Amino acid sequence: MSTKASRSAAKVMISPAVLLLLGWMLVPLCLTLYFSFLRYNLLQIGDTPFAGWENYYWFITDPSFKAAIKNTLVLVGGVLAITTVGGLFAAILLDRPMFGTGIIRIMVIAPFFVMPTVSALVWKNMFMNPVNGIFGRVATSLGFQPVDFFGQIPMASIIMIVSWTWLPFATLILLTALQSLDQEQLEAAEMDGAGWWNRFWFIMLPHLARAITVVILIQTIFLLSIFAEILVTTNGGPGTATTNLTYLIYVSSLLQFDVGMGSAGGVIAIILANIVAIFLMRMIGRNLDA
Amino acid sequence: MARAVSRRTRLTNTAVAGALGFLMFFPILWILVLAFKTEEDAIRAPLEVLFGSGWTMESFTTVQERSDYFKHFSNSVVISLGSTLLGLLVAVPAAWSMAFVPSKHTRNVLMWMLSTKMLPPVGVLVPIYLIFRDLDLLDSRFGLTVVLMLINLPIIIWMLYTYFREIPGEILEAARMDGATLREEILYVLTPMAIPGIASTVLLNIILAWNEAFWTINLTASNAAPLTQFITSYSSPEGLFYAKLSAASVMAIAPILIMGWFSQKQLVRGLTFGAVK
């Protein structure tokens, strides 16, 4: 039972948060939309005439846009595949009885707490460098030609680095979900003669379906915005081999100072992210009613 | 009931999981080793690095002397703590009112707040950059603190909301029956019960703010650069730098690793907006 007084107090208490978020969302959003229709480059002094759909046209027809979309999909898809499947196995493994559970878990989860610039640079130099990196050293000592990771397989290298960060996230969430699984159900199934695969396929996987969906959706939101890992390893190269949509927009807005073009790209990125967001919001909203 | 598990199974599990843990943790372990080596030793073969060379603190002092490391470290501290406290100031009242005085709009407000988090940062990079340029906020700790507060605000509110909702409303009613005013209610009844939830929220938010690497890189250059931005200066190296990169990295991730250890559970709740508990 809330009184009238507490209800008006509640309104006062919530308004700063609402106003701040409203401003944070609306002001830049409207500006992005507005800029995207202007011919506006910071390097050119003078007025910024209305340009219609010009920016969108040039942004979309640029060959690097096609490359960026493809790279974004490969990057997001690759990391999702590795982290979801890997996370599932890691979670099932970590849920089993063992010695030193706490310490082993923290070792698996630790990479998630490493800041992106550190993880990218450490992998790039200490592991993937063909001369001094550990992978190169091992390959050489076994008599193989060391792989030039960022020259030969740049996208796969970035996928690997990003997966190292996000595998712990998937593992942690799936492990949490797995722990709420009724052990008696598993035991009953086992007594009825269900093998490991059947227990996994018919009991564990359905129980985890929701958590897996959440992992995929949340990671997608974050993975669409991968930026630092690309910036410090390849700068989007070689060529446009590792330029994703986020990086492409960064290049046109802050390196080429093309405000109009960068904004048009921004609008496209927002639309793409929203498609994913709608699904995620539905999942979370359903949970709110429960 | 947990099944009785044979020692043998337990040992096998430990070995397999331990191997996975070692693989995942190895890069962190490795920079911890390299940080205590000289540059010449740090690029030798792995086994020689481990067993054939001495240990030194040299890299830590060099990093500090050459690049004023602690300026960036303290930037990280100020920005992540500042944005968290600022966020709390706004979020606690909002979450409190939604949890205890829900209206028919509460659900929509919550969902809308969440939707602001779905906005890709790069979509608003241009306007934010220009606004910052015009207000002279580029490369300032204040500007970055505000931005990080805003991007994490939805997470803080959501997390607090899910914690507050677990506090039974009957307790508040009982307090009101006993004649407690709104102020007393908040101060003596609610606050003690809310402290654990607030603490986990703070922890998670500091972690997120500390590691944020889009706005910190794009809105700072040198003066206000936190560690995420500072570390990028190692991406175009001159000469030998493995040991220095390791030393700088170890110091940059150590505080967060320790905090992360304490906040594993809350991390799940915070990052999935309560969808997985």
Side-chain angles (χ1 to χ4, degrees):
Chain A
M1 280 302 100
S2 46
T3 62
K4 208 171 176 183
S6 71
R7 245 177 289 146
S8 57
K11 255 186 211 138
V12 175
M13 287 161 82
I14 198 174
S15 43
V18 171
L19 290 177
L20 274 174
L21 281 177
L22 203 64
W24 167 247
M25 191 161 103
L26 282 183
V27 174
L29 212 56
C30 293
L31 282 173
T32 302
L33 213 55
Y34 172 63
F35 290 153
S36 73
F37 291 107
L38 298 182
R39 195 175 299 143
Y40 184 6
N41 192 310
L42 293 178
L43 296 179
Q44 288 156 6
I45 301 164
D47 48 343
T48 53
F50 182 72
W53 294 96
E54 204 176 80
N55 288 321
Y56 290 91
Y57 177 77
W58 290 119
F59 191 81
I60 290 175
T61 52
D62 190 320
S64 53
F65 174 72
K66 216 173 124 195
I69 291 289
K70 197 197 100 212
N71 290 334
T72 308
L73 290 178
V74 170
L75 179 58
V76 173
V79 176
L80 278 182
I82 293 174
T83 53
T84 321
V85 175
L88 197 56
F89 283 105
I92 291 173
L93 184 62
L94 291 178
D95 195 36
R96 297 176 149 218
M98 64 181 80
F99 299 105
T101 315
I103 187 82
I104 291 178
R105 274 188 198 165
I106 192 67
M107 279 167 79
V108 174
I109 289 161
F112 189 68
F113 301 113
V114 177
M115 55 177 67
T117 43
V118 166
S119 73
L121 281 179
V122 167
W123 278 99
K124 179 189 178 186
N125 294 304
M126 280 75 151
F127 290 87
M128 293 171 168
N129 181 306
V131 182
N132 293 323
I134 289 188
F135 292 155
R137 293 237 182 229
V138 171
T140 315
S141 69
L142 293 177
F144 295 106
Q145 186 71 27
V147 179
D148 178 11
F149 282 88
F150 291 101
Q152 289 168 287
I153 45 166
M155 188 46 102
S157 310
I158 290 182
I159 289 177
M160 192 174 154
I161 296 173
V162 177
S163 298
W164 181 68
T165 306
W166 286 94
L167 180 68
F169 172 80
T171 307
L172 188 61
I173 298 215
L174 295 175
L175 182 62
T176 311
L178 206 54
Q179 281 165 346
S180 68
L181 177 61
D182 187 4
Q183 285 298 318
E184 281 177 34
Q185 207 183 348
L186 280 178
E187 279 166 46
E190 198 177 359
M191 283 206 251
D192 288 343
W196 188 88
W197 177 253
N198 281 328
R199 273 177 282 150
F200 170 73
W201 192 256
F202 292 108
I203 300 177
M204 284 188 188
L205 215 51
H207 177 79
L208 289 177
R210 190 190 155 74
I212 292 174
T213 320
V214 170
V215 165
I216 290 176
L217 291 173
I218 289 179
Q219 281 202 50
T220 308
I221 296 278
F222 281 96
L223 296 177
L224 284 173
S225 301
I226 291 287
F227 168 75
E229 287 90 337
I230 297 174
L231 178 78
V232 298
T233 53
T234 63
N235 270 311
T240 53
T242 54
T243 300
N244 68 352
L245 190 56
T246 302
Y247 199 80
L248 181 66
I249 298 168
Y250 160 78
V251 169
S252 44
S253 24
L254 293 195
L255 298 186
Q256 296 166 353
F257 299 104
D258 194 333
V259 172
M261 191 85 105
S263 300
V267 172
I268 294 170
I270 292 171
I271 294 171
L272 288 182
N274 268 319
I275 297 172
V276 183
I278 289 169
F279 289 105
L280 179 57
M281 300 274 290
R282 278 214 194 122
M283 297 274 311
I284 295 169
R286 214 174 295 151
N287 195 61
L288 205 60
D289 300 324
Chain B
M1 265 315 295
R3 274 177 301 174
V5 180
S6 76
R7 199 181 156 75
R8 207 189 147 88
T9 327
R10 208 176 262 269
L11 277 174
T12 319
N13 289 343
T14 312
V16 181
L20 176 72
F22 180 75
L23 274 182
M24 291 296 286
F25 197 67
F26 183 71
I28 299 173
L29 215 57
W30 192 241
I31 56 172
L32 195 60
V33 171
L34 292 187
F36 292 97
K37 297 288 175 182
T38 60
E39 292 296 353
E40 292 73 27
D41 285 337
I43 54 163
R44 289 163 73 178
L47 287 179
E48 284 176 43
V49 172
L50 272 184
F51 303 112
S53 57
W55 303 83
T56 171
M57 294 284 286
E58 187 183 292
S59 305
F60 289 93
T61 44
T62 323
V63 165
Q64 167 57 19
E65 277 164 16
R66 287 210 196 148
S67 51
D68 199 3
Y69 185 86
F70 283 102
K71 181 179 90 180
H72 304 291
F73 190 89
S74 61
N75 280 343
S76 271
V77 172
V78 168
I79 291 164
S80 55
L81 279 184
S83 68
T84 304
L85 293 179
L86 220 57
L88 269 192
L89 218 60
V90 181
V92 169
W96 184 90
S97 71
M98 285 193 285
F100 296 115
V101 199
S103 73
K104 57 180 190 295
H105 302 300
T106 300
R107 187 177 184 279
N108 289 334
V109 172
L110 272 170
M111 293 312 286
W112 166 74
M113 284 177 169
L114 181 61
S115 75
T116 65
K117 185 68 198 163
M118 310 286 162
L119 199 67
V122 76
V124 292
L125 172 63
V126 174
I128 296 293
Y129 186 85
L130 292 181
I131 292 172
F132 266 55
R133 188 197 58 178
D134 293 343
L135 295 178
D136 213 9
L137 283 174
L138 284 177
D139 204 15
S140 81
R141 295 199 287 197
F142 174 74
L144 197 54
T145 306
V146 171
V147 165
L148 289 194
M149 182 271 261
L150 287 167
I151 62 162
N152 285 328
L153 192 56
I155 294 187
I156 307 192
I157 294 179
W158 262 82
M159 247 182 118
L160 287 175
Y161 172 77
T162 60
Y163 280 115
F164 287 176
R165 229 171 44 148
E166 284 167 11
I167 299 174
E170 292 82 11
I171 289 188
L172 292 184
E173 277 172 42
R176 248 171 257 161
M177 299 275 207
D178 291 341
T181 62
L182 184 65
R183 201 180 133 265
E184 289 169 332
E185 202 179 289
I186 293 175
L187 217 56
Y188 300 115
V189 184
L190 219 50
T191 309
M193 296 186 75
I195 292 272
I198 294 180
S200 341
T201 311
V202 166
L203 219 53
L204 174 68
N205 198 66
I206 291 175
I207 294 174
L208 291 178
W210 186 280
N211 287 344
E212 203 285 332
F214 183 80
W215 294 113
T216 49
I217 289 175
N218 283 317
L219 296 181
T220 64
S222 58
N223 277 333
L227 291 166
T228 40
Q229 163 73 306
F230 167 72
I231 297 284
T232 60
S233 63
Y234 283 92
S235 62
S236 45
E238 286 155 34
L240 297 167
F241 69 104
Y242 277 24
K244 283 191 277 295
L245 170 61
S246 297
S249 300
V250 164
M251 290 189 281
I253 64 176
I256 291 309
L257 272 182
I258 295 166
M259 284 183 159
W261 191 337
F262 290 112
S263 65
Q264 294 174 50
K265 280 269 169 206
Q266 290 73 29
L267 192 81
V268 174
R269 189 200 278 248
L271 286 176
T272 63
F273 298 95
V276 174
K277 266 183 224 170

